[in-house]
Amino acid sequence: PCADCLRSADPVLLLGCGDGEIFEALDGIAATGVEESASLVDECRSRGFVAETALLRSYLEAVPEGSLGGLVVTRVVDRYPLITWPRLVAAAWRSLRPGGVVLFEGLAGRGAAARLRWLAGRPRFTIVDAREFPGEGGFPRDCILVCRRAEAT
């Protein structure tokens, strides 16, 4: 259901596309993927998806300003140290055109979703949706934060 907000967003970038499962979760939404692992990019390509190998943080920072309609950032807690989150949010905002949508995925554990919600909402993004997916012991297995880029202030 979170992917529905990307249906009219074009182009869409998957930052951390893994082996291609995320493409399938987008259910036909056209996207380009970026992954650090060449073997994972090869797997994406073998499944018919467009993907390239690059360092994720520097790739997003090099995306032309306002050039994306949608962005999916996967495994935020695993891939990005907390100290880099302000820079990640700023690069996401800069890369999206006004009204563009970003999905931050992989926010389970230790208040990660609350921290990112606070960063994203100052005043860069409007929070559109936040979903927790239950795991064992009542703790969330995952959390996705969906944000829409606000106008420059």
Side-chain angles (χ1 to χ4, degrees):
C2 293
D4 287 341
C5 63
L6 294 171
R7 290 227 178 267
S8 61
D10 185 47
V12 174
L13 175 66
L14 304 177
L15 195 65
C17 61
D19 65 0
E21 285 185 34
I22 187 82
F23 285 99
E24 292 172 356
L26 291 179
D27 192 32
I29 297 170
T32 300
V34 178
E35 182 57 66
E36 292 184 358
S37 165
S39 62
L40 290 175
V41 168
D42 289 342
E43 179 67 23
C44 285
R45 290 176 179 163
S46 74
R47 295 166 88 170
F49 302 120
V50 178
E52 63 182 278
T53 306
L55 294 174
L56 301 180
R57 281 183 252 172
S58 56
Y59 188 92
L60 183 60
E61 290 175 352
V63 169
E65 186 171 343
S67 64
L68 297 176
L71 173 64
V72 178
V73 183
T74 64
R75 296 177 48 207
V76 172
V77 170
D78 294 340
R79 294 180 187 258
Y80 305 95
L82 185 59
I83 196 164
T84 67
W85 288 15
R87 199 166 161 181
L88 174 67
V89 169
W93 185 87
R94 188 194 52 73
S95 67
L96 290 167
R97 61 178 160 265
V101 175
V102 60
L103 277 72
F104 293 103
E105 180 272 335
L107 296 170
R110 306 237 176 202
R115 285 185 188 115
L116 192 59
R117 186 179 290 123
W118 181 82
L119 275 172
R122 298 185 38 128
R124 297 184 184 278
F125 291 101
T126 300
I127 309 298
V128 175
D129 197 1
R131 305 245 176 136
E132 287 189 355
F133 301 93
E136 294 182 26
F139 295 102
R141 173 179 51 85
D142 195 5
C143 182
I144 295 176
L145 187 63
V146 182
C147 307
R148 186 170 306 280
R149 183 192 188 269
E151 296 293 331
T153 55

